[in-house]
Amino acid sequence: MTENTQQQTAPTTELPTQYAPAEVEGPLYERWVERGYFEADAKSEKPPYTIVIPPPNVTGSLHLGHAFEHTLIDALTRRKRMQGFETLWQPGMDHAGIATQNVVERELAKEGKSRHDLGREAFVERVWQWKAESGGQISGQMKRLGDGVDWSRERFTMDEGLSQAVQTIFKKLYDDELIYRAERIINWCPRCLTAISDIEVEYQDDDGELVSIRYGEGDDSLVVATTRAETMLGDTAVAVHPDDERYKHLVGKQIKLPLTDRTIPVVADTHVDPEFGTGAVKVTPAHDPNDFEIGQRHNLPNLAVMDERAIITAHGPFQGLDRLEARSAIVAALRADGRIVAEKRPYTHSVGHCSRCKTTIEPRLSLQWWVKVGPLAQAAGDAVRDGKVKIHPQEMEKRYFDWVDNLHDWCISRQLWWGHRIPVWYGPNGEIVCVGPDEQPPTGEGWHQDTDVLDTWFSSGLWPFSTLGWPERTESLAKFYPNSVLVTGYDILFFWVARMMMFGLYAMDGTPPFHTIALHGMVRDQNGKKMSKSFGNVVNPLDWMDTYGSDAVRFTLARGANPGVDVPIGEDWVQASSKFANKIWNATRFALMNGATVEGPLPDASEMSATDRWILSRLNETVADVDALYDDYQFSKLSDALYHFAWDEVFDWYVELSKTTFFAGGEGARVSGRVLGEVLDVMLRLLHPVVPFVTETLWTTLTGGESVVIADWPKDSGFRDAAAEQEIALVQRVITEVRRFRKEQGLQDAQKVPARLTLDGTPLAAHESAIRQILRLQPEGEEFSATASLPVAGATVALDLSGTIDVAAERKRLAKDLAAAEKEKAQANGKLGNEAFLAKAPDNVVDKIRTRLAKADEDIARIQTQLASLPQS
């Protein structure tokens, strides 16, 4: 625990009777931003703590995945700010090349135009106009969630500074021969007319057809199976495994390619699995990545038979057909020619689709720009192996190494107009010139710039340092690089994280972009199912914020966040979190009205009751636990710890046990009021990073401090009182046991019962008033008759239940329950005593029966105790 160092005003105990999030959250956030609480000062002497936001697409809006990730980051940064760090949470957005271009092209289509009608320059200007008017709505939604980002530093991947960074690193990579231009197989979208990255390909099971086709004649023939018959027009070989005895006589021979006037060779290649299908595969190097590799090894020609719109270009009757039309026509022609050996429809298989327009992806040989990732990926792997960067949870390291250790060269060019234009100029005589940001491009007749733009991941890979002013050696770069931690989903570990690692180590002289990579899972619905529009289970977090408040959404998400594990979430859970926020509000309001205060020093332990010392001991234990869990990114566990401390220990036990003290007044009430004030002060500060809005309102009301955002983070004072904890544990045991007995007897919670408490000689004696009040136990009167006696925790609680229950009816009910329990026990014993049954039954079945037996024994003992405690008739 720490002393609050802020300037304070006299606290007020006035709080509205109900918490209204909609009235509180907006004004509070505006106040935080106006006062500059989230702004980071590069000149500060405080130690830095830096996190970058995974930049959302400019086309996007806040979804539950964003809300989840932002909640975790905000919790980390708010805590570090309170701990005295110069904290920077860097905001910004990604230009999202293909997504943004698609949005604007759709707008143009409504006007009956295409981008080609405008031309490149006018189209790009139109995109900038759209960005200014409609892009970036997510910023306002981030404010709704309470994101404590430094808005004064907001960046965009296409702004001037970041564009300079992109051009600088492209030039550096090019000069170091780590960027080159070559023909390779890429993912091609025939609708968007561009290469797309692996992460922009969505795979789904489609119903297609599998046809088996005979190539060659007689003994010199073999059968291949394919789901893409249209590509056979571009076959330049058939491949078999070199050890496959069935085809050894054909290796090196030429066979007839059906429907064409060409012959193609049979080649032996270890890539072929002789156990799969017929053990022979058609090789189409220009339309399949694996076939391309085979073609490279055997010097096969690359024969492209489709254009960029997936229209067949091969000469013959199929020229001009769409690929799907050609597929049907080619199969029909092969069937007529007697070449079809087998057909399977439907044949379900995994097919890649463009994530933006859902068009089926076409692997295509294309001249593109590439990054040679070998040395970059090696450095990215070594940084984790050497301990410079830690991945959390550690078991995710294997996935990281599996990726970076097997990276293929990265295609970075896109056939779009919106994005960072590739800074390469071509001359009239085949000259190629790469231009840096401070260099003038060549001019003159015949010179022109490359028309492609860079993959969005290229610019976002620079995010940890380009946002701080690189390539300039700025104060911000010196202060805030490397980042302290990267919080992101395991799903983009390969695509974004690996690229940041490669670029950061390369551009920043071997310094990795962050110390720790903290990976979280995906948000799913309450049944663990992926959220998808097609499933109808997508949730707009803003709807839940409107209904339950942002704190409720945040707390629900944080409470489900186990490292690297997917997070199920349902509205019932958000509703429960809303009740928690209301509980904090109502209980704090009650406490303030009954003496809770932060005024004056904390009393000495000798002045406190055991209840006071117990809650302070538990408070410090909670501070220590929460700190350790934060440092281990265990958001679920720390949220649970705070929930149970606040609700169970503070509100349900300490406040209830202290009510008699507060009502009695005097010195005891003053001491307990100061203790409760201390507990609330620390508890609200501990809760603040996860539920910032309700805690801000309550903390400023309690303490008179300026804002909990800039309050000191609590520290464990070291105060522990094992004796007080044991004493209160006895009190809790007595109350719990008597409550259970009352419930079993059918007594209402508010129903008062005469009781005699024999507490002498136990620590419980000092708590008799509190025990009686909580349990609604009246003093024994002259007519008192102990009809039930409960020995518990070294004490005895005798109750007079005469007149409170129908003894005869209760005996009848319990006798019926006892008979049922005894029958259950007999059945379980019968099965467990049957050797034949035990010999055949699975272990899990036997274990269930043993569990049933143990439960029956427990029920019998409980019911017999209840019967014995009933008044004698």
Side-chain angles (χ1 to χ4, degrees):
M1 297 175 288
T2 59
E3 293 295 322
N4 176 35
T5 58
Q6 296 183 60
Q7 183 178 0
Q8 296 183 347
T9 58
T12 174
T13 58
E14 295 181 3
L15 281 172
T17 55
Q18 291 185 329
Y19 177 50
E23 298 174 12
V24 168
E25 293 173 352
L28 272 187
Y29 190 85
E30 289 180 11
R31 189 183 314 153
W32 292 335
V33 173
E34 287 170 2
R35 293 180 177 178
Y37 292 155
F38 306 138
E39 293 181 11
D41 182 4
K43 293 180 167 50
S44 168
E45 294 183 1
K46 296 178 183 178
Y49 187 81
T50 315
I51 295 181
V52 294
I53 191 172
N57 288 351
V58 68
T59 58
S61 60
L62 191 75
H63 57 65
L64 269 178
H66 289 128
F68 172 55
E69 188 166 76
H70 291 198
T71 294
L72 305 187
I73 299 174
D74 197 41
L76 291 174
T77 52
R78 283 179 183 269
R79 172 178 174 252
K80 285 296 182 179
R81 189 178 293 110
M82 295 171 75
Q83 286 182 316
F85 287 77
E86 193 60 38
T87 303
L88 169 61
W89 182 9
Q90 173 69 55
M93 286 181 291
D94 191 283
H95 66 279
I98 192 169
T100 306
Q101 180 157 319
N102 277 344
V103 168
V104 178
E105 286 196 82
R106 283 196 296 268
E107 292 295 316
L108 285 174
K110 294 176 184 177
E111 304 170 14
K113 299 177 181 178
S114 73
R115 60 183 163 120
H116 300 286
D117 294 324
L118 272 66
R120 183 170 194 143
E121 187 174 336
F123 176 78
V124 170
E125 182 58 36
R126 179 71 176 260
V127 180
W128 278 108
Q129 180 184 340
W130 175 87
K131 190 247 179 200
E133 295 173 357
S134 307
Q137 63 173 310
I138 201 169
S139 297
Q141 296 165 345
M142 287 166 59
K143 295 173 183 178
R144 282 285 311 277
L145 189 64
D147 287 3
V149 300
D150 185 347
W151 291 109
S152 69
R153 293 174 176 266
E154 187 175 12
R155 303 303 297 270
F156 180 54
T157 50
M158 285 282 286
D159 68 27
E160 183 178 352
L162 271 65
S163 295
Q164 182 183 23
V166 168
Q167 194 171 353
T168 299
I169 202 162
F170 186 100
K171 170 71 170 173
K172 180 175 171 58
L173 289 163
Y174 182 87
D175 290 346
D176 288 344
E177 298 183 349
L178 293 173
I179 281 183
Y180 64 94
R181 197 178 189 218
E183 276 196 323
R184 296 280 190 278
I185 293 286
I186 45 87
N187 301 310
W188 181 265
C189 176
R191 154 60 182 80
C192 299
L193 299 180
T194 181
I196 64 174
S197 66
D198 291 338
I199 198 172
E200 292 165 323
V201 179
E202 292 180 349
Y203 288 91
Q204 66 185 48
D205 287 341
D206 286 358
D207 284 340
E209 59 182 356
L210 180 68
V211 293
S212 298
I213 309 166
R214 183 173 298 282
Y215 285 26
E217 306 293 342
D219 293 337
D220 290 347
S221 68
L222 37 66
V223 175
V224 300
T226 181
T227 58
R228 304 175 69 225
E230 68 277 12
T231 63
M232 67 163 293
L233 301 176
D235 286 358
T236 56
V238 172
V240 297
H241 194 277
D243 297 331
D244 195 330
E245 295 294 335
R246 293 171 295 176
Y247 304 119
K248 278 195 172 182
H249 68 289
L250 290 177
V251 174
K253 288 188 176 182
Q254 295 281 326
I255 62 172
K256 179 75 165 55
L257 177 65
L259 305 184
T260 72
D261 57 2
R262 292 192 292 119
T263 60
I264 56 177
V266 177
V267 299
D269 195 280
T270 54
H271 170 75
V272 179
D273 180 1
E275 302 299 323
F276 183 78
T278 64
V281 297
K282 58 192 289 296
V283 181
T284 320
H287 294 279
D288 184 274
N290 293 321
D291 292 2
F292 178 79
E293 297 295 332
I294 294 174
Q296 293 291 100
R297 288 192 287 272
H298 297 277
N299 297 314
L300 299 175
N302 301 316
L303 182 59
V305 294
M306 280 182 248
D307 66 12
E308 70 270 13
R309 297 183 184 275
I311 302 299
I312 300 297
T313 58
H315 294 297
F318 312 108
Q319 187 174 4
L321 294 180
D322 171 82
R323 55 183 167 168
L324 298 181
E325 296 172 333
R327 181 177 302 169
S328 298
I330 287 171
V331 170
L334 288 167
R335 191 183 301 115
D337 200 28
R339 291 286 175 175
I340 299 294
V341 175
E343 299 179 65
K344 184 176 181 181
R345 295 189 187 88
Y347 178 74
T348 303
H349 60 132
S350 182
V351 178
H353 296 260
C354 174
S355 63
R356 302 301 174 189
C357 68
K358 311 310 175 187
T359 301
T360 300
I361 290 301
E362 188 63 45
R364 184 169 187 255
L365 186 65
S366 182
L367 182 62
Q368 302 283 347
W369 285 95
W370 303 80
V371 172
K372 187 184 296 182
V373 300
L376 303 175
Q378 178 70 42
D382 289 346
V384 175
R385 290 187 182 91
D386 298 344
K388 292 181 181 177
V389 178
K390 297 188 182 302
I391 294 179
H392 190 278
Q394 190 174 3
E395 55 264 28
M396 286 287 183
E397 282 187 3
K398 182 180 184 302
R399 297 179 68 172
Y400 177 79
F401 292 135
D402 285 347
W403 180 256
V404 297
D405 292 346
N406 296 285
L407 268 179
H408 297 294
D409 285 358
W410 170 22
C411 176
I412 55 171
S413 46
R414 299 290 180 266
Q415 289 64 56
L416 303 171
W417 286 357
W418 172 245
H420 296 100
R421 189 106 172 245
I422 288 178
V424 171
W425 271 254
Y426 304 103
N429 298 312
E431 303 95 332
I432 299 178
V433 177
C434 181
V435 177
D438 299 322
E439 300 171 348
Q440 291 297 319
T443 57
E445 186 176 351
W447 283 94
H448 64 280
Q449 188 177 358
D450 196 298
T451 57
D452 289 351
V453 299
L454 288 163
D455 178 12
T456 295
W457 296 103
F458 191 93
S459 52
S460 60
L462 313 181
W463 193 246
F465 53 93
S466 63
T467 51
L468 298 173
W470 186 90
E472 300 298 324
R473 296 290 171 172
T474 64
E475 284 184 317
S476 291
L477 189 65
K479 178 74 174 179
F480 296 114
Y481 186 91
N483 288 193
S484 305
V485 61
L486 173 74
V487 179
T488 192
Y490 64 71
D491 56 317
I492 57 173
L493 172 64
F494 319 125
F495 305 104
W496 186 45
V497 179
R499 284 156 171 71
M500 285 191 291
M501 285 285 283
M502 290 190 297
F503 281 167
L505 289 159
Y506 175 73
M508 297 300 293
D509 303 319
T511 302
F514 17 74
H515 297 301
T516 301
I517 301 168
L519 298 171
H520 58 73
M522 310 292 289
V523 178
R524 297 181 177 271
D525 72 13
Q526 61 190 26
N527 299 313
K529 194 172 185 179
K530 179 182 177 180
M531 288 192 175
S532 166
K533 290 180 181 178
S534 61
F535 296 152
N537 61 353
V538 173
V539 173
N540 183 348
L542 296 174
D543 292 340
W544 281 352
M545 289 184 213
D546 290 340
T547 304
Y548 303 109
S550 297
D551 282 337
V553 174
R554 291 170 61 114
F555 192 73
T556 305
L557 290 165
R559 204 172 179 192
N562 289 301
V565 178
D566 287 347
V567 183
I569 184 171
E571 187 168 3
D572 289 350
W573 304 339
V574 182
Q575 188 175 22
S577 295
S578 174
K579 290 179 181 177
F580 178 53
N582 287 325
K583 179 73 172 181
I584 299 170
W585 181 275
N586 293 331
T588 303
R589 183 173 178 273
F590 173 85
L592 288 169
M593 294 171 62
N594 287 276
T597 179
V598 296
E599 294 181 354
L602 196 64
D604 188 78
S606 62
E607 302 176 59
M608 298 179 191
S609 67
T611 308
D612 294 332
R613 298 194 305 277
W614 163 75
I615 196 62
L616 288 177
S617 183
R618 293 298 308 127
L619 176 67
N620 279 283
E621 187 71 34
T622 302
V623 171
D625 289 346
V626 168
D627 267 333
L629 292 167
Y630 259 117
D631 291 340
D632 199 33
Y633 305 101
Q634 298 282 356
F635 295 98
S636 177
K637 290 181 180 178
L638 72 89
S639 298
D640 258 353
L642 289 169
Y643 175 89
H644 290 296
F645 175 73
W647 194 306
D648 301 346
E649 297 187 298
V650 178
F651 302 141
D652 280 0
W653 283 112
Y654 180 73
V655 170
E656 291 300 318
L657 288 171
S658 301
K659 279 182 178 177
T660 54
T661 303
F662 288 133
F663 295 161
E667 183 62 14
R670 184 195 70 79
V671 170
S672 291
R674 181 63 188 88
V675 169
L676 181 53
E678 180 76 7
V679 170
L680 290 175
D681 171 17
V682 173
M683 183 193 77
L684 291 170
R685 282 186 277 153
L686 288 174
L687 280 165
H688 173 72
V690 181
V691 284
F693 294 108
V694 67
T695 52
E696 171 80 338
T697 306
L698 295 175
W699 188 86
T700 53
T701 301
L702 169 71
T703 68
E706 180 184 338
S707 173
V708 70
V709 176
I710 53 172
D712 292 334
W713 179 254
K715 293 181 180 177
D716 176 9
S717 71
F719 178 83
R720 300 288 191 281
D721 194 322
E725 292 201 35
Q726 291 174 359
E727 184 172 325
I728 299 305
L730 292 177
V731 175
Q732 291 171 326
R733 184 178 166 194
V734 169
I735 292 171
T736 300
E737 288 293 326
V738 176
R739 274 178 173 164
R740 179 162 45 230
F741 178 78
R742 286 177 59 110
K743 185 176 182 180
E744 289 169 347
Q745 301 304 317
L747 298 177
Q748 299 297 316
D749 290 341
Q751 191 171 353
K752 295 181 179 179
V753 178
R756 176 188 299 142
L757 275 61
T758 307
L759 309 175
D760 296 342
T762 73
L764 296 167
H767 303 278
E768 180 169 352
S769 295
I771 292 171
R772 283 187 176 277
Q773 177 171 318
I774 291 171
L775 291 172
R776 305 292 193 272
L777 301 181
Q778 292 179 318
E780 55 184 299
E782 293 182 4
E783 303 293 324
F784 180 83
S785 175
T787 59
S789 183
L790 300 177
V792 56
T796 302
V797 179
L799 303 172
D800 183 355
L801 301 179
S802 57
T804 61
I805 60 173
D806 184 337
V807 176
E810 185 64 13
R811 282 189 181 279
K812 186 175 181 181
R813 183 185 69 81
L814 290 173
K816 183 179 179 181
D817 291 347
L818 180 61
E822 288 174 338
K823 181 179 180 182
E824 174 75 2
K825 178 178 179 179
Q827 289 176 342
N829 274 328
K831 288 186 177 181
L832 293 175
N834 185 333
E835 295 295 335
F837 171 78
L838 293 177
K840 294 179 181 178
D843 290 344
N844 65 318
V845 173
V846 176
D847 288 342
K848 285 182 180 179
I849 294 172
R850 287 182 176 137
T851 301
R852 283 170 49 195
L853 177 60
K855 176 69 166 52
D857 282 335
E858 183 182 314
D859 288 344
I860 290 169
R862 175 179 56 79
I863 295 168
Q864 288 174 338
T865 300
Q866 288 178 248
L867 282 167
S869 66
L870 286 174
Q872 299 298 314
S873 55

